[in-house]
Amino acid sequence: MEKVLLKGNEIIGEAAIRSGCKLFFGYPITPSTEVIEYLSANLPSQGGTVLQAEDEIGAINMCYGAACTGNRVLTASSSPGISLKQEGISYAAAVELPMVLVNVNRCGPGLGGLGPAQSDYFQSTKGGGHGDYRLIVLAPSKAQELYDYTMEAFDLADRYRNPVMVHTDGFLGQTMEPVVLKDRPEAPEVDQSWVVNGCKGREKRILASYSLTNEVGEENNLHWEKKYKEIEEKEQRWESFHTEDAEYLLVSFGTTGRICKSTVLNARKKGIKLGLIRPITLWPFPVKGIRPLVDQLKGIVTVELNTGQMIEDVKLAAECKVPIHLYRRQGGMLPTEDEILAYLEDIFQPDGSGEVHE
Amino acid sequence: MMDKVIMAGFGGQGIMFLGKVLAYAGMTTDLELCWIPSYGPEMRGGTANCSVILSDEEIHSPVVDHADAAIVMNQPAYERFKSKVKPGGVLVVNSSLANVGDQRTDIIIIEIPASAIANKLGNANIANMVCLGALLPSMKLVNWETVEKSMEKLTIKRPQFLQGNLDAIKEGMEFAK
Amino acid sequence: MKKVFERTKGLSDAHFTFCPGCTHGTIMRLIAEVMEELNIIEDTIGVSPVGCAGFCQDFFTCDFVGAAHGRAQAVATGIKRSLPDKMVFTYQGDGDIAAIGTQHAIHSAARGERITSIMVNNAIYGMTGGQMAPTTLEGMKTTTSPFGRDPVSAGMPMDFPKIIANIPGAVYVASVSVDSPKNINKAKKAIKKAFQVQQAGLGFALVSILSTCPTNWGMSPVDSLDWLRENMLPIYELGVLKEIEEVKNL
């Protein structure tokens, strides 16, 4: 299989092409711009369309229109741009349109900076736009996962007729790592009996989300809720790293998720039984990964690039049965593996005398 | 085994390219690697830096807090990154454009007049490769053969630059002997 | 018995829900007739906006997509780029296209997007109960300009199709009215042309149609038509505002 060295953002573009993505609508914004640049150079020759929209609002609504026709569609942006897209994302969730959204996070609020951040966790996982909806949110932590999860995002979007977000950051977007361009088995046949493509030989279809009466409105909400429950039940994903005998646990995703692996290995060299849960789906949050560990744990530290957002989900997952603390860097700064360990040692004073497996 | 290398200098000195040479050298032997550019506002300013991690096992943390080696191609880069080399590590300094002054004694400092050597070779733009040559003997996971292959790949669209770059690396290696 | 008139196939059996005297029904029928005459009902995807115009999705017999307020042309762009062989049109009120959706209107035109846009201009926000629109006339009373539109604060009404006509990618722009049988016939011709422009792949086409809102204007249907003629026609010049050579030859 072909192995390439590309920037993370370019990998996303390549994965989209190889996933059969036919259309990309976007607006340039650092640090996500290489996605639209890569696709502008490479998607048209594969029979696809790339359109630079007048603004982010235009881009997401073009995605909405294209998704209504049943073709695979992608957009990518960074935090302020994703804010602008929220109205359209809400509409797409309501009409149940499969589409993939990439948020190459930068730090905020406001214009913020370009450094890596996870400050859009709430926005991504709790809806983001108006109304009560959920996105499936995937959080890669390295280039290979940018490739794999982007492909997976298209399949999940089709399977559940739901927008799926790939939640990454500028660090992953700009870094180059080798990626194996795995072939993907043909995308599963999905029901397209809902798409709008001209009503030849069938009843006309309307894809819209207005509920004229409250009764209809509630019926719609119950329908969406049922789907979200099914996704919560079936699609929680996480990586467990040295959790079998863990007395202490780090929970961290994306760039910090991989940094924490080094922390775990360093801690184990010192005799501290530390493990890591790296959420792969931020929504649905991997409660199933954390809850079974609660009885064996003496403490949890979430490591985040924000003021503490995911920690709320970790507390719910652990039902607050374990002390849970936050170690965070902000504004585009990344923690080192050592400073995370120093914090954990300071907070929990772990007994480092235990025999541990590295 | 791991090689963590920081490269820094003026924009235009080929810092990112230098990193790519190391990265593609790692690709030729299937190493795990990260090429990490400085990005954002720094791209627009005068300085450029990037880091490369090469490893024979999975790279978890990509944060290069302290490097095994660094190449600094001007004075500001020297000032900023001299403290980022681990004790026992190697610091290659382009002495044509940076004065090391008070030196660290816990690392190996290779002062090489890379810009002067490059000029002597007839191309001021290959001072970066001269520096790379100076560092190469100290690296654990890449060597002349893999760097040569890397350079072939990177100059595939402009093969006229291949030999000049390789000669510059050779000069640097010779100097560091 | 010989059938001399029947409902166009472009409209469903659903009854119009518009207020008495509202001209949305007339305009929709014209579009539906054009679709039938061009035999494109099964190949057309309409995009409905937010506002009274949004109800159109229930009345036409072609496929429809409901857009967020102002976004119809962006949505239409997405559909057209995905299915270039289908006909795509937007049906939008003046607030939708000329206020909250201005950027999409201007840039759809700038790209020469192969879509047809119908703008229904009744100088007011109808569905939400009669607020000021970008097209509200100077001095006109609405719920958000209760003392009359004050140009010092709210500016002058925008003649939006003229703005679009200045954009190179817009190849056909017409301003019509449905206040009289004669004007209704002209309106239909313009609508037909705007769809033919798309069929020929020539670029972006816009038809602006002056319309009444008796409910929010606080007038009888007949008085509304008079008011339109007396007050709107002097401001919003009727006619073909732009037509490139290739369109003339259609």
Side-chain angles (χ1 to χ4, degrees):
Chain A
M1 266 176 292
E2 196 184 348
K3 197 174 184 183
V4 296
L5 189 59
L6 290 173
K7 280 190 176 186
N9 285 337
E10 297 170 336
I11 290 292
I12 291 171
E14 184 59 32
I17 293 170
R18 287 172 186 252
S19 302
C21 175
K22 289 283 174 253
L23 299 118
F24 178 93
F25 302 97
Y27 186 86
I29 175 172
T30 314
S32 76
T33 303
E34 292 84 0
V35 181
I36 186 171
E37 288 175 340
Y38 187 84
L39 286 166
S40 297
N42 296 289
L43 186 55
S45 60
Q46 307 289 318
T49 296
V50 177
L51 183 59
Q52 182 173 327
E54 56 272 20
D55 62 10
E56 300 279 6
I57 302 171
I60 189 67
N61 283 286
M62 291 171 191
C63 289
Y64 174 98
C68 285
T69 68
N71 274 329
R72 284 190 160 182
V73 58
L74 174 77
T75 188
S77 188
S78 291
S79 307
I82 295 290
S83 293
L84 277 168
K85 288 185 193 294
Q86 290 300 336
E87 175 200 45
I89 295 172
S90 170
Y91 275 71
V95 179
E96 298 187 84
L97 297 178
M99 66 172 69
V100 178
L101 319 157
V102 176
N103 182 359
V104 186
N105 274 233
R106 49 194 264 178
C107 49
L111 186 56
L114 309 177
Q118 298 168 342
S119 35
D120 299 346
Y121 177 91
F122 281 153
Q123 188 195 49
S124 306
T125 60
K126 312 293 179 192
H130 63 282
D132 196 352
Y133 70 91
R134 296 292 184 276
L135 305 176
I136 299 172
V137 184
L138 300 172
S141 69
K142 54 184 180 181
Q144 187 67 54
E145 290 168 0
L146 288 170
Y147 183 80
D148 296 346
Y149 295 4
T150 300
M151 288 198 150
E152 184 70 15
F154 280 102
D155 286 354
L156 285 168
D158 276 341
R159 190 176 312 144
Y160 291 102
R161 268 189 70 181
N162 207 72
V164 177
M165 176 172 278
V166 177
H167 189 281
T168 167
D169 64 46
F171 183 88
L172 291 171
Q174 305 296 324
T175 295
M176 290 203 297
E177 292 182 284
V179 173
V180 178
L181 300 179
K182 297 179 210 162
D183 284 327
R184 194 158 182 84
E186 275 302 296
E189 280 290 313
V190 289
D191 172 32
Q192 288 218 325
S193 61
W194 53 273
V195 306
V196 150
N197 54 4
C199 60
K200 195 160 278 175
R202 61 162 170 79
E203 291 285 297
K204 74 173 269 200
R205 292 182 187 141
I206 302 174
L207 289 174
S209 57
Y210 185 51
S211 50
L212 209 50
T213 66
N214 299 339
E215 286 76 11
V216 171
E218 186 174 48
E219 204 178 299
N220 288 344
N221 282 116
L222 289 170
H223 167 74
W224 295 318
E225 183 185 38
K226 189 174 159 220
K227 178 171 77 171
Y228 300 145
K229 292 260 182 258
E230 185 193 347
I231 296 170
E232 274 184 319
E233 181 52 39
K234 290 183 181 166
E235 302 297 344
Q236 292 180 28
R237 296 174 196 197
W238 67 92
E239 180 186 1
S240 300
F241 190 73
H242 294 280
T243 53
E244 302 76 15
D245 63 343
E247 293 177 351
Y248 300 93
L249 185 72
L250 300 175
V251 183
S252 190
F253 67 88
T255 301
T256 49
R258 68 187 283 177
I259 295 171
C260 283
K261 287 185 179 173
S262 294
T263 308
V264 167
L265 296 178
N266 290 353
R268 285 183 171 261
K269 280 181 198 151
K270 293 172 106 174
I272 301 165
K273 291 182 177 174
L274 181 62
L276 165 73
I277 293 287
R278 181 178 69 84
I280 292 171
T281 51
L282 303 185
W283 193 90
F285 189 75
V287 175
K288 292 178 188 178
I290 291 173
R291 193 156 291 164
L293 300 174
V294 165
D295 289 338
Q296 75 189 60
L297 293 175
K298 294 177 182 166
I300 298 176
V301 171
T302 73
V303 180
E304 305 183 53
L305 302 178
N306 54 48
T307 53
Q309 299 188 15
M310 180 186 65
I311 191 170
E312 295 185 5
D313 288 326
V314 176
K315 283 181 177 173
L316 288 171
E319 295 172 317
C320 294
K321 287 176 178 165
V322 186
I324 301 173
H325 293 270
L326 166 73
Y327 186 74
R328 85 280 180 268
R329 294 296 298 265
Q330 297 182 79
M333 297 298 288
L334 283 175
T336 65
E337 54 267 38
D338 295 338
E339 68 183 78
I340 297 166
L341 183 55
Y343 177 81
L344 181 116
E345 289 181 296
D346 184 48
I347 288 281
F348 291 122
Q349 306 285 322
D351 175 8
S353 60
E355 284 285 305
V356 295
H357 306 286
E358 273 186 33
Chain B
M1 252 192 306
M2 204 177 258
D3 276 319
K4 289 188 184 181
V5 187
I6 295 171
M7 288 138 280
F10 291 124
Q13 280 186 312
I15 298 299
M16 301 295 158
F17 183 75
L18 182 45
K20 282 183 187 170
V21 175
L22 284 177
Y24 277 99
M27 285 288 280
T28 63
T29 48
D30 262 342
L31 292 174
E32 295 289 321
L33 68 97
C34 290
W35 174 90
I36 305 156
S38 58
Y39 68 94
E42 281 182 277
M43 279 163 64
R44 314 285 170 228
T47 65
N49 72 80
C50 77
S51 344
V52 170
I53 307 173
L54 299 162
S55 173
D56 54 11
E57 54 191 303
E58 190 178 351
I59 299 165
H60 295 310
S61 173
V63 179
V64 181
D65 192 33
H66 282 88
D68 301 291
I71 294 172
V72 291
M73 295 196 55
N74 64 13
Q75 193 71 37
Y78 171 72
E79 300 301 339
R80 183 167 166 196
F81 291 105
K82 65 182 174 187
S83 63
K84 292 287 184 186
V85 178
K86 283 178 196 165
V90 180
L91 176 63
V92 175
V93 182
N94 175 14
S95 59
S96 304
L97 295 175
N99 182 1
V100 297
D102 233 358
Q103 299 194 353
R104 274 178 69 181
T105 52
D106 59 341
I107 57 174
I108 300 161
I109 297 187
I110 301 173
E111 292 177 66
I112 177 166
S115 299
I117 292 173
N119 282 330
K120 197 183 73 193
L121 290 170
N123 182 355
N125 293 332
I126 52 177
N128 55 349
M129 294 300 115
V130 175
C131 289
L132 173 63
L135 178 64
L136 206 50
S138 314
M139 293 195 67
K140 299 186 276 282
L141 292 167
V142 291
N143 53 36
W144 165 254
E145 281 74 29
T146 56
V147 164
E148 191 181 22
K149 276 189 206 156
S150 164
M151 192 62 75
E152 281 167 10
K153 189 171 170 71
L154 284 166
T155 54
I156 206 152
K157 284 181 187 157
R158 281 181 288 181
Q160 69 272 27
F161 293 121
L162 175 63
Q163 200 51 50
N165 277 297
L166 291 177
D167 291 346
I169 296 170
K170 279 264 191 219
E171 280 294 314
M173 289 173 78
E174 204 57 40
F175 183 91
K177 258 186 191 168
Chain C
M1 202 161 51
K2 191 183 167 201
K3 207 181 218 177
V4 293
F5 182 81
E6 64 181 341
R7 181 188 285 268
T8 164
K9 291 190 175 63
L11 287 177
S12 71
D13 293 337
H15 291 278
F16 282 136
T17 46
F18 300 108
C19 304
C22 168
T23 45
H24 265 306
T26 309
I27 298 166
M28 287 181 196
R29 201 181 101 195
L30 298 181
I31 296 169
E33 286 176 358
V34 164
M35 286 200 292
E36 185 182 3
E37 287 166 22
L38 295 174
N39 194 24
I40 56 170
I41 297 169
E42 293 181 329
D43 292 313
T44 298
I45 297 145
V47 182
S48 57
V50 169
C52 291
F55 291 116
C56 69
Q57 65 193 31
D58 296 325
F59 304 127
F60 289 112
T61 49
C62 61
D63 274 359
F64 248 88
V65 171
H69 195 21
R71 315 298 168 217
Q73 287 158 316
V75 172
T77 298
I79 298 170
K80 187 71 180 183
R81 295 296 180 119
S82 182
L83 302 174
D85 297 334
K86 301 289 172 182
M87 298 289 286
V88 182
F89 78 99
T90 69
Y91 185 89
Q92 302 170 264
D94 44 292
D96 198 83
I97 195 171
I100 195 169
T102 313
Q103 76 268 46
H104 311 306
I106 286 176
H107 287 276
S108 298
R111 289 189 302 268
E113 209 63 58
R114 272 75 171 158
I115 60 173
T116 302
S117 283
I118 307 296
M119 163 181 167
V120 180
N121 178 3
N122 58 12
I124 205 160
Y125 285 115
M127 186 185 240
T128 44
Q131 293 79 28
M132 184 172 64
T135 45
T136 293
L137 303 184
E138 183 181 358
M140 185 174 163
K141 286 182 181 172
T142 72
T143 62
T144 51
S145 58
F147 311 108
R149 179 174 186 156
D150 175 6
V152 174
S153 159
M156 295 293 281
M158 253 206 301
D159 195 350
F160 199 65
K162 279 192 180 156
I163 294 171
I164 296 297
N166 279 323
I167 299 170
V171 296
Y172 180 71
V173 181
S175 179
V176 297
S177 173
V178 287
D179 63 294
S180 67
K182 189 179 157 203
N183 276 342
I184 287 172
N185 284 336
K186 282 186 184 169
K188 185 173 169 183
K189 275 188 190 139
I191 292 167
K192 193 166 189 173
K193 195 80 170 249
F195 276 88
Q196 287 170 323
V197 164
Q198 185 181 168
Q199 276 185 314
L202 294 176
F204 179 79
L206 171 72
V207 179
S208 165
I209 305 172
L210 298 183
S211 172
T212 58
C213 185
T215 300
N216 288 302
W217 291 357
M219 294 173 203
S220 74
V222 173
D223 289 348
S224 295
L225 291 170
D226 287 338
W227 191 90
L228 183 158
R229 281 187 281 268
E230 282 162 27
N231 298 282
M232 291 177 79
L233 290 187
I235 304 291
Y236 300 116
E237 181 193 345
L238 300 186
V240 175
L241 304 178
K242 178 160 183 195
E243 188 173 31
I244 64 166
E245 278 308 309
E246 291 94 319
V247 175
K248 281 181 189 158
N249 298 335
L250 281 176

